[in-house]
Amino acid sequence: MSSKRVLIIDDEESIQTVVQFGIRMAAGWDVLVASSGPQGIQTAQTERPDVILLDVMMPDMDGIATFKILQSDPVTEQIPVIFLTAKAQTSEKRQFQDLGVSGVITKPFNALELPEQITKILHW
């Protein structure tokens, strides 16, 4: 696997840490971290990651609102977004995919399997 840059946007520090560890250990990819929607949007605009892992449930600006802003910006609209969510219902996953996200990964997940899941979702 070639080196990729992943942006994780999640308000939970424990999730940020686990994702960083898992992706770096399993794939050696670079991981950028943002703790909120607005911070994630700014990071995506300046750093242009290869993929964004976006938590659905965050305070202030949730993942859906964040995704819509990313999609409306010519700088970030082409970056694939994968939702991270505890909402595992098939109907909810379908609803997320109908928005245009590249994929959905359900929490809890195995951090060491994340690169494989991302690769599969994005056909890298």
Side-chain angles (χ1 to χ4, degrees), residues 27 29 38 49 51 60 62 66 84 101:
W29 298 345
V51 62
D60 301 324
D62 69 10
T66 302
L84 296 178
V101 298

Short mmCIF file of all heavy atoms in Angstrom, two decimals, residues 27 29 38 49 51 60 62 66 84 101:
data_model
loop_
_atom_site.label_atom_id
_atom_site.label_comp_id
_atom_site.label_asym_id
_atom_site.label_seq_id
_atom_site.Cartn_x
_atom_site.Cartn_y
_atom_site.Cartn_z
N ALA A 27 -0.68 0.36 8.43
CA ALA A 27 -0.42 0.78 7.05
C ALA A 27 0.72 1.80 6.91
O ALA A 27 1.20 2.02 5.81
CB ALA A 27 -1.70 1.36 6.44
N TRP A 29 0.35 4.95 7.20
CA TRP A 29 -0.18 6.17 6.60
C TRP A 29 -0.06 7.33 7.58
O TRP A 29 -0.04 7.15 8.79
CB TRP A 29 -1.64 6.00 6.21
CG TRP A 29 -1.91 4.96 5.17
CD1 TRP A 29 -0.99 4.36 4.35
CD2 TRP A 29 -3.17 4.37 4.85
NE1 TRP A 29 -1.62 3.44 3.53
CE2 TRP A 29 -2.95 3.44 3.81
CE3 TRP A 29 -4.46 4.56 5.33
CZ2 TRP A 29 -3.98 2.69 3.25
CZ3 TRP A 29 -5.49 3.81 4.76
CH2 TRP A 29 -5.24 2.90 3.74
N PRO A 38 -15.86 22.33 12.16
CA PRO A 38 -15.16 23.48 11.59
C PRO A 38 -13.64 23.28 11.50
O PRO A 38 -13.03 23.65 10.49
CB PRO A 38 -15.51 24.61 12.57
CG PRO A 38 -16.83 24.21 13.15
CD PRO A 38 -16.75 22.70 13.27
N PRO A 49 -6.28 15.88 2.43
CA PRO A 49 -6.00 14.46 2.69
C PRO A 49 -6.56 13.57 1.57
O PRO A 49 -7.38 14.01 0.77
CB PRO A 49 -6.74 14.21 4.01
CG PRO A 49 -7.87 15.20 3.99
CD PRO A 49 -7.31 16.43 3.31
N VAL A 51 -8.33 10.85 2.21
CA VAL A 51 -9.65 10.40 2.68
C VAL A 51 -9.93 11.06 4.03
O VAL A 51 -9.01 11.38 4.78
CB VAL A 51 -9.71 8.85 2.80
CG1 VAL A 51 -8.71 8.33 3.81
CG2 VAL A 51 -11.12 8.36 3.11
N ASP A 60 -22.20 20.72 18.42
CA ASP A 60 -22.17 21.94 17.60
C ASP A 60 -22.45 21.65 16.12
O ASP A 60 -23.53 21.93 15.64
CB ASP A 60 -20.84 22.69 17.76
CG ASP A 60 -20.58 23.10 19.20
OD1 ASP A 60 -21.55 23.44 19.90
OD2 ASP A 60 -19.42 23.05 19.64
N ASP A 62 -22.61 18.55 13.49
CA ASP A 62 -22.51 17.09 13.36
C ASP A 62 -21.84 16.70 12.04
O ASP A 62 -21.52 17.55 11.20
CB ASP A 62 -23.87 16.42 13.54
CG ASP A 62 -24.85 16.70 12.41
OD1 ASP A 62 -24.46 17.27 11.36
OD2 ASP A 62 -26.03 16.32 12.56
N THR A 66 -21.14 18.81 8.51
CA THR A 66 -19.73 18.94 8.10
C THR A 66 -19.54 18.39 6.69
O THR A 66 -18.91 19.03 5.83
CB THR A 66 -18.82 18.18 9.09
OG1 THR A 66 -19.03 18.70 10.41
CG2 THR A 66 -17.35 18.33 8.71
N LEU A 84 -17.91 7.51 10.34
CA LEU A 84 -17.72 6.61 11.48
C LEU A 84 -18.95 6.81 12.35
O LEU A 84 -19.27 7.94 12.72
CB LEU A 84 -16.48 7.01 12.28
CG LEU A 84 -15.13 6.89 11.59
CD1 LEU A 84 -14.02 7.36 12.54
CD2 LEU A 84 -14.86 5.46 11.17
N VAL A 101 -21.75 9.87 0.78
CA VAL A 101 -20.50 9.46 1.41
C VAL A 101 -19.96 8.22 0.70
O VAL A 101 -20.72 7.45 0.11
CB VAL A 101 -20.64 9.19 2.93
CG1 VAL A 101 -21.06 10.44 3.66
CG2 VAL A 101 -21.58 8.07 3.22
#
